[in-house]
């Protein structure tokens, strides 16, 4: 398998590791920004996409900064190659992005936008447990401390902290919105609130609160950058009892009693995601979180 990667940051390296576990003989090219770019093991650097014979490339992985996704995908559309796009799809939604999504779909380009939490054991088990449940209420919470995300780096300088770079907790943690959409579908009505008034003193939103209304229940989703004791949970109040999923521990409790646990951790979902992508999306051309679906979730994320 031959893959081109655009954007070689920490997330891209996770995808590379997953790909090489599945195919140790994979050939991986990376489009680099300059000759001084640091070398990465098992990656062949290129500096101009025209220098690569794209006919040999099986798929292209887009993992550069979100603010560059639009121009990158627009440039790649003419090659009609399968695209694996790191979340979120874009940093904003406008007429140009809407037209690009329509163009990609019209050309029948196979696309997948990363949503690795859908591959977490506990969430997949929760989906099965809720199949015949009457749901009354859903509460999602994801809070962590942005300064701890990248040790040794000034958090105020990174994309996440800067509004002008397309950052913000609502964008960074779109995974929570994605898995709620995956579990329960498109809400009938939405409300959202964003702020950046915490002690972090950053320009991007460091708090987001969503209320999604469904026919029989509502889902409340809280995201933040300033919680030092990290917490990532979903609570489902159902007719038979209350399910609590700890995503970090990959455990499910029903009425405070442990009913399911897995040794898998979130980092392990990258391998399962890549396996699914290669076997189902790339090989069989199945639709799963394509650019159109991801764009709808982004609309929900941005409060459009």
């Amino acid at each position: 398998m031959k893959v081109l990667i655009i954007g070689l940051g920490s997330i891209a390296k996770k995808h590379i590791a997953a790909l090489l576990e599945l195919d140790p003989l994979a050939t991986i090219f990376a489009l680099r920004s300059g000759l001084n770019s640091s070398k990465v093991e098992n990656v062949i650097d290129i500096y101009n996409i025209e220098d690569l014979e794209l006919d040999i490339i099986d798929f292209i992985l887009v993992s550069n900064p979100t603010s560059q996704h639009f121009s990158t995908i627009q440039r790649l559309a003419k090659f009609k190659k399968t695209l694996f796009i790191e979340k979120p799809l874009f940093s904003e939604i406008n007429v140009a992005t809407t037209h690009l999504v329509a163009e990609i779909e019209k050309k029948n380009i196979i696309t997948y936008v990363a949503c690795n939490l859908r591959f977490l054991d506990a969430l997949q088990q929760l989906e099965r447990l809720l199949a015949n449940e009457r749901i009354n209420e859903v509460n999602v919470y994801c809070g962590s401390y942005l300064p701890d995300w990248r040790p040794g780096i000034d958090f105020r300088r990174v994309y996440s902290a800067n509004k002008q770079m397309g950052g913000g907790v609502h964008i960074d943690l779109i995974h929570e919105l994605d898995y709620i959409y995956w579990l329960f579908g498109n809400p009938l009505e939405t409300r959202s609130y964003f702020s950046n008034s915490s002690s972090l003193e950053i320009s991007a939103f460091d708090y987001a609160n969503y209320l999604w209304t469904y026919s029989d229940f509502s889902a409340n989703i809280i995201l933040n950058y300033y919680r030092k004791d990290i917490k990532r949970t979903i609570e489902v109040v159902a007719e038979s009892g209350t399910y609590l999923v700890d995503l970090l521990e990959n455990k499910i409790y029903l009425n405070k009693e442990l009913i399911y646990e897995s040794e898998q951790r979130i980092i392990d979902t990258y391998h399962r995601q890549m396996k699914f992508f290669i076997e189902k999306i790339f090989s069989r051309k199945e639709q799963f979180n394509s650019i159109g679906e991801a764009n709808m979730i982004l609309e929900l994320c941005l409060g459009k």
Side-chain angles (χ1 to χ4, degrees):
M1 182 164 289
K2 294 179 173 59
V3 179
L4 170 63
I5 294 180
I6 299 177
L8 204 53
S10 60
I11 296 296
K13 291 171 185 175
K14 293 176 183 177
H15 293 312
I16 289 171
L19 180 60
L20 291 174
E21 283 181 29
L22 293 164
D23 182 4
L25 299 179
T27 302
I28 301 172
F29 301 91
L31 182 63
R32 311 307 303 274
S33 58
L35 296 174
N36 295 326
S37 300
S38 58
K39 300 296 181 182
V40 175
E41 188 178 3
N42 299 312
V43 172
I44 301 169
D45 292 343
I46 65 170
Y47 303 95
N48 190 323
I49 199 168
E50 279 71 28
D51 293 338
L52 184 64
E53 180 53 64
L54 280 176
D55 286 345
I56 69 171
I57 296 298
D58 291 302
F59 69 88
I60 301 174
L61 198 157
V62 177
S63 57
N64 53 358
T66 306
S67 59
Q68 297 175 25
H69 279 193
F70 172 77
S71 59
T72 300
I73 296 169
Q74 186 180 48
R75 184 182 182 191
L76 295 174
K78 64 181 178 182
F79 300 116
K80 297 184 179 180
K81 288 289 180 178
T82 297
L83 300 177
F84 181 122
I85 305 166
E86 182 53 43
K87 68 84 185 171
L89 178 59
F90 304 121
S91 57
E92 61 180 348
I93 289 178
N94 52 40
V95 173
T97 60
T98 300
H99 285 171
L100 180 57
V101 170
E103 178 188 354
I104 294 292
E105 292 181 325
K106 184 177 180 180
K107 290 182 176 180
N108 293 317
I109 296 172
I110 301 299
T111 56
Y112 167 73
V113 179
C115 52
N116 61 294
L117 283 188
R118 297 190 191 190
F119 299 91
L120 188 71
D121 286 341
L123 287 179
Q124 293 191 340
Q125 179 67 11
L126 180 67
E127 181 189 29
R128 291 188 283 269
L129 290 169
L130 297 179
N132 298 309
E133 281 279 15
R134 169 64 163 83
I135 299 170
N136 293 312
E137 177 184 324
V138 175
N139 297 293
V140 174
Y141 188 98
C142 185
S144 59
Y145 194 51
L146 182 61
D148 289 343
W149 283 24
R150 301 171 180 87
I153 298 176
D154 183 355
F155 74 93
R156 292 183 178 86
R157 295 182 178 274
V158 301
Y159 137 85
S160 299
N162 290 277
K163 184 176 182 179
Q164 63 272 24
M165 295 172 65
V169 71
H170 60 316
I171 288 284
D172 264 337
L173 301 181
I174 195 174
H175 281 301
E176 314 318 292
L177 306 181
D178 176 82
Y179 79 68
I180 291 299
Y181 177 94
W182 169 61
L183 286 171
F184 305 115
N186 204 13
L188 301 176
E189 184 181 350
T190 67
R191 297 180 185 177
S192 57
Y193 172 77
F194 311 107
S195 69
N196 61 341
S197 56
S198 80
S199 56
L200 292 179
E201 298 181 343
I202 60 177
S203 63
F205 295 134
D206 55 20
Y207 174 84
N209 191 330
Y210 296 88
L211 180 64
W212 289 6
T213 303
Y214 293 85
S215 58
D216 297 320
F217 66 93
S218 292
N220 185 51
I221 305 163
I222 295 176
L223 314 171
N224 72 62
Y225 272 156
Y226 46 73
R227 184 180 177 123
K228 292 187 178 181
D229 57 322
I230 184 171
K231 178 181 177 182
R232 201 167 200 178
T233 60
I234 172 175
E235 178 189 67
V236 180
V237 182
E239 184 68 22
S240 64
T242 299
Y243 294 91
L244 176 65
V245 180
D246 186 328
L247 278 67
L248 300 176
E249 296 294 328
N250 216 346
K251 295 179 179 180
I252 303 177
Y253 300 85
L254 176 59
N255 298 329
K256 299 183 179 180
E257 179 183 347
L258 181 65
I259 62 169
Y260 178 84
E261 62 181 322
S262 168
E263 294 184 358
Q264 180 204 45
R265 291 297 176 262
I266 289 176
I267 187 66
D268 302 321
T269 61
Y270 287 90
H271 178 274
R272 186 175 293 178
Q273 173 180 241
M274 185 61 72
K275 186 174 188 292
F276 180 90
F277 169 78
I278 291 173
E279 292 180 355
K280 303 290 187 180
I281 300 173
F282 171 71
S283 298
R284 300 183 187 178
K285 313 304 182 189
E286 294 183 10
Q287 292 283 334
F288 190 78
N289 207 36
S290 64
I291 194 169
E293 183 175 343
N295 194 57
M296 284 194 299
I297 296 169
L298 183 60
E299 288 180 355
L300 295 169
C301 167
L302 297 177
K304 297 294 186 181

